[in-house]
Amino acid sequence: MNILITGGSGFIGSHLSEKLLNEGNNKLFLIDNLLTGSTKNIEHLLDSEKVLFIEHDVQDHIEIEEKIDYVFHFASAASPVAYTEHPVNTLKAGSVGTINTLGLAKKHGAEYFLASTSEVYGDPLVTPQTEEYWGNVNPNGERSMYDEAKRFAEAATATYARTYDIKTKIVRIFNTYGPRMQLNDGRVVTNLIVQALNNEDITIYGDGSQTRSFSYVEDTVAGILALMKSDKYDVFNIGNPNEMSIKELSSVILKLTDSKSNLVYKDLPNDDPKQRRPDITKAKENLNWEPKVDLETGLTFTIEWIKKELAK
Ligand code: UDP
């Protein structure tokens, strides 16, 4: 298959690309504007004649001459710090970028796969979040350039599927961590590991009682591939239901890094969700997928990778 992946040199996009290249006879067209992605993430793939990297922003029209069979739209800044730094680009990646990539899928008769997010549930009032939950999102708040763009992206995908008979799938990705995360994009896992390794203060926003559920990138990508290969043209949560508070996460990281860092408490960012936990029953039953890597194992791999990055 000829597979186009926007955000192909990003954190999740690069892991997905690697798996797709290693299986079967796929040719990959990786599109990225390198705003938050990096060719470093895919340099080991670029020697292959089956990989074509195109530096391009999805907010601009995309023209590919070769026939494309499958489109993954994964391009977007995705951490609160990154989308706050690039607010308009984030808004456009989810809106115009989704329309552009849907248009490309329509023209090529390709299947379409949208990377959505647990952020479509906003600051959820029900827990765990099932795919049926419509969410609790501040439409003009400080996270809205990401949350609402992704909600629009889902609406656009559903509308194109209904209107033009395109086959589409949507994955709502919950907090994912692992090698190739950007170390400076402010996410809690990287921030805390870097601080712990440097014996610097560990920054806890708010009182640290807010919860997240962390999925190791290999598990997340396995879920994405299970959905790709299934005959389900539908919306699925992919994540690890192992919910914990940020304070609990900090103790695990302190233990695994054997760090002497102290906790310091900072203001909680506006609209920071108080809880987040995926209900993955639908994915388990329909895709025969579930996460396999427990938190300590995944964090240990991540810590080893970060140590190497810091030593560079
Ligand atoms: N957080 C924190 N300290 C940090 C970075 C993040 O306490 O140094 C908190 C943040 O306020 C949020 C949670 O950790 O409640 C997860 O933040 P992240 O940016 O990783 O992702 P989010 O799930 O909010 O998109």
Side-chain angles (χ1 to χ4, degrees):
M1 277 206 292
N2 283 344
I3 305 178
L4 181 139
I5 306 166
T6 75
S9 66
F11 165 46
I12 296 184
S14 67
H15 284 279
L16 174 65
S17 303
E18 188 175 310
K19 286 273 184 310
L20 288 168
L21 182 64
N22 290 340
E23 59 180 47
N25 201 15
N26 296 323
K27 179 166 179 194
L28 307 184
F29 297 74
L30 308 184
I31 293 194
D32 207 301
N33 65 358
L34 300 178
L35 198 64
T36 58
S38 166
T39 48
K40 247 187 10 189
N41 292 335
I42 50 164
E43 59 190 1
H44 58 301
L45 310 181
L46 290 176
D47 285 342
S48 166
E49 65 210 13
K50 290 193 202 153
V51 178
L52 181 67
F53 176 74
I54 305 165
E55 188 173 341
H56 181 89
D57 195 307
V58 291
Q59 64 180 275
D60 299 320
H61 179 79
I62 307 164
E63 196 73 49
I64 305 281
E65 283 190 8
E66 270 179 82
K67 169 99 171 61
I68 298 294
D69 305 299
Y70 208 98
V71 175
F72 283 97
H73 182 33
F74 274 57
S76 179
S79 81
V81 165
Y83 54 71
T84 303
E85 200 174 320
H86 307 290
V88 175
N89 193 276
T90 303
L91 197 62
K92 289 186 178 177
S95 54
V96 185
T98 303
I99 296 291
N100 282 340
T101 49
L102 280 166
L104 185 126
K106 173 172 167 253
K107 182 169 154 195
H108 287 256
E111 289 202 17
Y112 188 83
F113 191 118
L114 174 71
S116 184
T117 167
S118 54
E119 286 279 324
V120 300
Y121 302 122
D123 191 1
L125 303 177
V126 301
T127 191
Q129 293 85 53
T130 64
E131 289 85 351
E132 278 69 45
Y133 180 49
W134 290 356
N136 176 41
V137 177
N138 180 348
N140 51 34
E142 290 172 26
R143 296 169 88 107
S144 61
M145 75 297 256
Y146 184 64
D147 300 7
E148 291 293 10
K150 287 290 190 185
R151 288 172 66 94
F152 174 85
E154 290 204 14
T157 302
T159 302
Y160 268 61
R162 283 192 285 262
T163 309
Y164 299 118
D165 208 20
I166 300 175
K167 290 185 150 177
T168 65
K169 294 170 176 174
I170 297 174
V171 64
R172 293 185 182 145
I173 300 171
F174 283 66
N175 292 67
T176 296
Y177 69 97
R180 299 192 202 138
M181 292 180 89
Q182 281 184 286
L183 295 188
N184 60 354
D185 77 355
R187 289 183 202 247
V188 68
V189 170
T190 39
N191 265 14
L192 270 48
I193 293 175
V194 170
Q195 291 161 350
L197 289 174
N198 291 333
N199 287 313
E200 292 165 358
D201 287 344
I202 299 280
T203 52
I204 304 283
Y205 301 161
D207 63 5
S209 64
Q210 71 273 30
T211 67
R212 294 293 186 274
S213 307
F214 296 98
S215 173
Y216 189 60
V217 63
E218 234 171 67
D219 281 334
T220 298
V221 169
I224 290 166
L225 288 171
L227 174 55
M228 179 206 187
K229 289 171 191 164
S230 79
D231 58 0
K232 306 286 184 246
Y233 295 90
D234 202 350
V235 183
F236 285 88
N237 287 337
I238 292 292
N240 190 320
N242 179 22
E243 181 180 15
M244 72 194 61
S245 71
I246 297 305
K247 224 173 146 179
E248 284 170 301
L249 173 73
S250 72
S251 350
V252 180
I253 289 177
L254 284 172
K255 186 184 92 182
L256 294 177
T257 52
D258 199 18
S259 170
K260 296 178 190 57
S261 292
N262 298 310
L263 303 189
V264 296
Y265 292 87
K266 305 256 181 186
D267 289 344
L268 188 68
N270 289 334
D271 295 340
D272 195 290
K274 285 180 275 308
Q275 57 181 355
R276 185 181 288 154
R277 174 188 183 163
D279 184 320
I280 56 166
T281 311
K282 189 172 168 183
K284 272 190 185 166
E285 288 178 357
N286 290 279
L287 310 178
N288 193 22
W289 164 88
E290 62 182 320
K292 294 200 169 69
V293 182
D294 64 62
L295 184 77
E296 293 213 359
T297 307
L299 283 178
T300 303
F301 291 143
T302 310
I303 290 166
E304 286 316 306
W305 178 80
I306 291 181
K307 275 186 187 165
K308 284 193 205 125
E309 286 298 296
L310 293 177
K312 276 181 190 167

